Amino acid sequence: MARRRQIYEGKAKILYEGPEPGTLIQYFKDDATAFNAQKKGTISGKGVLNNRISEHIFTMLGAIGVPTHFIRRLNMREQLIRQVEIVPIEVVIRNVAAGSISKRLGIEEGTQLPRTIIEYYYKDDALGDPMVSDEHIACFGWASQDEMHDIADMAIRVNDFLTGLFAGVGIKLIDFKLEFGRLWENDFSRVILADEISPDGCRLWDSQTNEKLDKDRFRRDLGGEVEAYQEVARRLGLMPEGENAVLDMETHRRKRGR
Ligand code: UDP
């Protein structure tokens, strides 16, 4: 294939110029980072799994009327997406306390929150993605009031949908991160869901055992990262049954002698 022009390289993905104006190709790498890229590693096979899981979720969100940048998956590691102007805000939705909220506010991990919380973080690696409020977002013009209204609306819809989807396959959706982008049509823009939804940006716990099926396995050196991501894909019905690539969590535990 002819060499494509690389538009951007992030921590877990590369964006290439797409085949038509207004499109990009999103390539999923196996690279993993945590703690603002202070911890780096490779999870062999992660990119393939995240591409497939994110395709599945974005397709379903599209079907319930959430606008997304996803057009179609092209191959094992790539998907065709609409080019958007990324809103520089990471939107975190929390149902159960874990990670930074537990640390910051001293709430035990696993505590069910009395209501869903939406938090915003300003996307700036040099600053370590600081948490910001609606006031900061409006003050510095990172997104308009209308855009923030649409973003919060979509975030809640995605949360409701994903909570049910995962509950149906025995997984608790603890928290997750979303990113949005502006899609320009002439002089007008609207915000649509962008980036990816995968175990890299979600906390997913087994409903019965609370076993972590997400990137916390990497962040916390628990091991079994790829098996956990495979387990999520398998439960969502995305792994061909009986494939020898499927190493389930049981096998992983046996291998580690636990
Ligand atoms: N998250 C993410 N990218 C980030 C920060 C957070 O995808 O740069 C996700 C993370 O996977 C978790 C949720 O957002 O599902 C909340 O993360 P938290 O604020 O607890 O931060 P962390 O403990 O990951 O540092």
Side-chain angles (χ1 to χ4, degrees):
M1 192 193 236
R3 224 179 137 63
R4 293 168 306 196
R5 195 158 71 91
Q6 184 175 311
I7 305 284
Y8 172 82
E9 176 157 12
K11 290 170 214 146
K13 294 188 292 291
I14 304 174
L15 295 178
Y16 296 100
E17 200 169 54
E20 287 151 38
T23 66
L24 294 177
I25 291 168
Q26 177 164 256
Y27 176 96
F28 288 76
K29 300 193 282 185
D30 285 343
D31 296 349
T33 60
F35 313 119
N36 200 25
Q38 285 171 49
K39 179 179 166 112
K40 289 190 179 132
T42 307
I43 303 173
S44 187
K46 171 175 84 80
V48 175
L49 289 160
N50 282 356
N51 186 22
R52 188 73 187 86
I53 293 168
S54 199
E55 171 200 17
H56 182 66
I57 292 176
F58 273 66
T59 302
M60 281 188 298
L61 289 172
I64 62 157
V66 175
T68 84
H69 74 162
F70 179 80
I71 302 173
R72 66 174 184 277
R73 186 166 63 86
L74 298 171
N75 55 48
M76 297 279 274
R77 285 187 185 270
E78 293 176 330
Q79 45 184 246
L80 185 66
I81 58 171
R82 260 180 255 283
Q83 183 163 28
V84 294
E85 181 184 292
I86 289 289
V87 174
I89 302 293
E90 296 194 345
V91 180
V92 169
I93 298 94
R94 300 183 186 274
N95 300 306
V96 174
S100 68
I101 196 173
S102 292
K103 223 182 211 167
R104 247 168 18 89
L105 304 181
I107 304 166
E108 198 187 338
E109 286 212 318
T111 308
Q112 179 73 46
L113 297 169
R115 47 166 284 175
T116 297
I117 295 175
I118 305 187
E119 295 172 349
Y120 303 113
Y121 294 83
Y122 179 50
K123 267 170 74 75
D124 187 317
D125 285 340
L127 298 175
D129 296 347
M131 181 148 76
V132 293
S133 71
D134 280 304
E135 295 273 319
H136 300 100
I137 296 168
C139 176
F140 299 111
W142 296 322
S144 71
Q145 306 274 29
D146 281 354
E147 286 174 335
M148 287 313 291
H149 185 267
D150 289 349
I151 285 173
D153 245 33
M154 284 188 268
I156 294 299
R157 286 193 70 196
V158 172
N159 184 48
D160 288 347
F161 179 77
L162 288 188
T163 299
L165 176 77
F166 283 118
V169 297
I171 293 174
K172 280 191 276 194
L173 179 62
I174 305 299
D175 59 30
F176 61 103
K177 186 256 304 182
L178 296 177
E179 293 192 28
F180 294 86
R182 288 184 193 99
L183 185 66
W184 285 93
E185 277 154 6
N186 303 317
D187 283 346
F188 293 95
S189 74
R190 61 189 174 107
V191 281
I192 65 174
L193 187 62
D195 194 43
E196 69 179 295
I197 299 180
S198 73
D200 265 8
C202 301
R203 284 199 170 89
L204 304 169
W205 294 4
D206 180 89
S207 306
Q208 300 292 319
T209 65
N210 283 341
E211 180 149 29
K212 296 183 198 320
L213 300 172
D214 56 57
K215 207 168 92 176
D216 270 350
R217 301 206 72 85
F218 170 76
R219 291 190 192 96
R220 302 180 187 193
D221 292 321
L222 299 173
E225 292 92 342
V226 86
E227 291 86 349
Y229 285 47
Q230 275 178 353
E231 179 64 11
V232 173
R234 190 188 66 77
R235 291 198 198 179
L236 291 172
L238 306 177
M239 299 289 287
E241 293 293 338
E243 284 254 311
N244 58 12
V246 183
L247 248 181
D248 66 18
M249 294 302 285
E250 269 309 307
T251 316
H252 166 67
R253 267 194 296 273
R254 275 200 301 277
K255 280 197 341 190
R256 302 184 95 210
R258 282 193 273 132

